[in-house]
């Protein structure tokens, strides 16, 4: 499984684009159409959570359609079996709400990027030492950009991706604080997965992409 995007590593793609779009739904949703709209808005990294109905089928379809033009991965990955299923579907990274060295190791073995979730400096460093591509700082909404800056002071080499409640008002501040990227779900997706207009999703995507690139870490 390739881990390059236009000649870049996944880590380099994170730094360049600064944004991961997160698709999460409890019922059947137009996942493929929504990702197409996100891509048209400039989004280049997309996470579809495993519990979302049809998630792996969507990953498979999108991987076939976009190839190296888009990084497609899965989220809420908590088991080795889910890592392997992601790889089989053509996904290129996995995101977890927690840090599990076994899951990280399975991702590395499969040639996938791994973004484990962590909150404290101890958890962040453990995730990094276990082989994370970057560490998902979660839940970011309770921490804020100042926390990113404070953690990066003693841990400057660990790429952090704040996730959870990140809005357009927060993106530039997180990037300026040193976050390699931000993970954004409902503030970006809005009602698009419940039948909302994809044109509006495309416009929101373009705005998030613009903000994520303004104050690159």
């Amino acid at each position: 499984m390739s881990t390059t995007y236009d000649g870049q590593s996944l880590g380099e793609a994170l730094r360049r684009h600064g944004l991961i779009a997160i698709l999460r739904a409890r019922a059947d949703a137009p996942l493929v159409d929504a990702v197409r709209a996100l891509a048209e808005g400039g989004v280049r990294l997309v996470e579809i959570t495993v519990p979302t109905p049809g998630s792996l089928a969507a990953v498979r379809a999108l991987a076939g359609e976009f190839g190296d033009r888009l990084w497609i991965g899965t989220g809420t990955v908590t088991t080795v079996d889910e890592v392997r299923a992601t790889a089989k579907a053509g996904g290129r990274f996995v995101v977890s709400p927690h840090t599990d060295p076994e899951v990280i190791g399975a991702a590395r073995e499969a040639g996938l990027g791994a973004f484990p979730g962590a909150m404290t400096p101890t958890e962040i460093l453990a995730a990094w030492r276990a082989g994370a591509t970057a560490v998902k700082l979660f839940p970011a909404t309770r921490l804020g950009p100042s926390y990113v800056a404070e953690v990066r002071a003693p841990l400057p080499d660990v790429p952090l991706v704040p996730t959870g409640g990140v809005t357009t008002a927060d993106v530039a501040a997180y990037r300026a604080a040193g976050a390699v990227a931000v993970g954004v779900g409902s503030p970006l997706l809005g009602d698009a997965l419940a039948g909302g207009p994809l044109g509006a999703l495309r416009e929101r995507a373009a705005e998030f992409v613009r903000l994520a690139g303004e104050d690159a870490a």
Side-chain angles (χ1 to χ4, degrees), residues 1-178:
M1 176 67 63
S2 170
T3 55
T4 61
Y5 172 80
D6 288 343
Q8 300 175 348
S9 70
L10 176 55
E12 290 168 343
L14 271 179
R15 287 180 174 82
R16 177 181 176 185
H17 300 291
L19 177 70
I20 302 176
I22 304 168
L23 282 69
R24 177 184 294 107
R26 294 184 178 180
D28 291 339
L31 299 175
V32 172
D33 287 342
V35 172
R36 287 173 180 151
L38 289 169
E40 289 168 1
V43 173
R44 292 295 176 263
L45 295 102
V46 176
E47 165 194 341
I48 303 177
T49 60
V50 167
T52 296
S55 58
L56 292 173
V59 168
R60 186 176 298 108
L62 291 162
E65 178 175 343
F66 285 95
D68 285 348
R69 292 178 293 134
L70 202 65
W71 286 90
I72 302 290
T74 58
T76 320
V77 173
T78 60
T79 69
V80 169
D81 285 345
E82 289 170 345
V83 172
R84 292 170 179 162
T86 297
K88 186 176 181 180
R92 305 176 73 187
F93 63 87
V94 295
V95 184
S96 301
H98 68 315
T99 294
D100 183 338
E102 191 174 2
V103 169
I104 297 169
R108 288 174 62 90
E109 183 178 346
L112 307 184
F115 305 137
M119 187 175 185
T120 68
T122 298
E123 294 169 346
I124 291 167
L125 189 56
W128 182 241
R129 287 178 172 172
T133 305
V135 179
K136 170 184 171 180
L137 187 63
F138 178 79
T141 186
R142 296 186 176 275
L143 302 173
S146 63
Y147 185 78
V148 173
E150 290 166 1
V151 168
R152 278 184 53 79
L155 301 175
D157 296 328
V158 181
L160 300 176
V161 183
T163 303
V166 179
T167 69
T168 53
D170 307 314
V171 176
Y174 275 119
R175 291 284 273 157

Side-chain angles (χ1 to χ4, degrees), residues 33-34 37-38 40-41 188 191-192 195-206:
D33 287 342
L38 289 169
E40 289 168 1
L188 168 57
D191 62 355
L198 295 180
L201 173 59
R202 191 179 304 112
E203 292 175 2
R204 289 192 298 273

Side-chain angles (χ1 to χ4, degrees), residues 178-190:
V180 68
V182 292
V184 185
S186 56
L188 168 57
L189 271 296

